[in-house]
């Protein structure tokens, strides 16, 4: 078990700081912006439960999280996160949430699903909900609009386009055929 002083030394943050959640959010995004997966992992408990709607499984170890972070950085090596607005806290439960903006260029393969580089720039907004133990994150849930990202990369058609309407109709037809037993 790591004591509070050891955690403060390793993260540079003190859980007793009244602005802890804001400072942590800034450090978290700076760790991602560094392009070094270890910097992100250093802010996580070793058994942190990490959920990102862009990844097929919940991560529960540093090694599982490292794979995710490195895939993300490989797909978007110039990724930049920016904090948007205030960090909302629930100090009694050691919980906080914040919104962010991510910009990057898709210059590497995205795994999964194996999407080849498009060279397109992306601009995505999302949010983190985090729970802390000491000065590290113990649980994080990250949400963002995957369809928006896919539209920006040209994988999905533009919103409200004729192609999108046609795809929706085709999806409805599949449901109808399923009901008919075909």
């Amino acid at each position: 078990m790591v004591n509070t002083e050891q955690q403060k030394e390793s993260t540079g943050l003190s859980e007793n700081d009244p602005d802890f959640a804001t400072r942590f959010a800034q450090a978290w995004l700076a760790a991602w912006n560094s392009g070094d997966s270890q910097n992100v992992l250093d802010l996580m408990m070793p058994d942190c439960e990490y959920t990102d709607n862009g990844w097929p499984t919940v991560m529960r170890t540093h090694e599982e999280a490292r794979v995710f972070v490195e895939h993300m950085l490989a797909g978007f090596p110039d990724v930049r996160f920016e904090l948007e607005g205030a960090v909302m806290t629930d100090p009694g439960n050691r919980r906080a949430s914040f919104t962010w903006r991510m910009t990057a260029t898709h210059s590497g393969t995205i795994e999964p699903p194996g999407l080849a580089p498009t060279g397109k720039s992306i601009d995505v907004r999302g949010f983190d909900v985090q729970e802390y133990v000491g000065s590290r994150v113990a649980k994080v849930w990250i949400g963002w609009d995957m369809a928006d990202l896919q539209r920006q990369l040209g994988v999905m058609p533009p919103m409200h386009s004729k192609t999108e309407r046609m795809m929706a109709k085709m999806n409805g037809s599949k449901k109808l055929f399923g009901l008919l037993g075909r």
Side-chain angles (χ1 to χ4, degrees):
M1 183 86 167
V2 178
N3 71 36
T4 304
E5 282 305 309
Q6 288 172 321
Q7 287 180 352
K8 182 180 178 186
E9 287 175 22
S10 66
T11 65
L13 300 167
S14 169
E15 66 179 301
N16 298 322
D17 181 345
D19 295 322
F20 169 78
T22 298
R23 293 183 199 283
F24 190 92
Q26 293 166 341
W28 180 254
L29 299 180
W32 274 96
N33 291 344
S34 75
D36 184 344
S37 62
Q38 189 60 49
N39 291 339
V40 177
L41 297 174
D42 286 345
L43 295 174
M44 297 168 53
M45 295 296 293
D47 59 348
C48 178
E49 184 176 305
Y50 192 122
T51 304
D52 187 301
N53 69 321
W55 195 249
T57 60
V58 175
M59 298 154 272
R60 291 187 171 83
T61 67
H62 272 195
E63 274 316 301
E64 290 172 353
R66 181 186 309 279
V67 170
F68 166 72
V69 174
E70 289 179 356
H71 279 291
M72 172 70 173
L73 294 172
F76 301 98
D78 64 345
V79 69
R80 287 293 168 260
F81 286 92
E82 176 183 326
L83 186 63
E84 291 199 324
V87 175
M88 295 159 280
T89 61
D90 181 7
N93 289 322
R94 303 281 300 146
R95 228 182 255 162
S97 63
F98 56 91
T99 57
W100 45 260
R101 178 180 181 191
M102 176 182 78
T103 56
T105 307
H106 179 214
S107 54
T109 301
I110 298 175
E111 296 289 352
L115 181 61
T118 63
K120 295 184 177 185
S121 294
I122 61 160
D123 189 336
V124 176
R125 287 179 166 77
F127 63 91
D128 277 33
V129 177
Q130 299 182 342
E131 292 182 15
Y132 310 103
V133 170
S135 63
R136 294 187 183 176
V137 67
K139 185 181 275 190
V140 60
W141 188 75
I142 300 172
W144 50 277
D145 187 346
M146 190 179 301
D148 180 43
L149 173 69
Q150 291 176 347
R151 283 185 181 97
Q152 291 181 45
L153 294 176
V155 176
M156 286 182 59
M159 190 182 281
H160 307 297
S161 67
K162 184 177 179 179
T163 305
E164 182 187 53
R165 288 190 301 276
M166 183 173 52
M167 287 173 66
K169 285 180 184 179
M170 290 173 59
N171 187 41
S173 297
K174 288 179 187 178
K175 289 179 183 174
L176 176 63
F177 288 124
L179 291 173
L180 298 174
R182 295 182 187 178

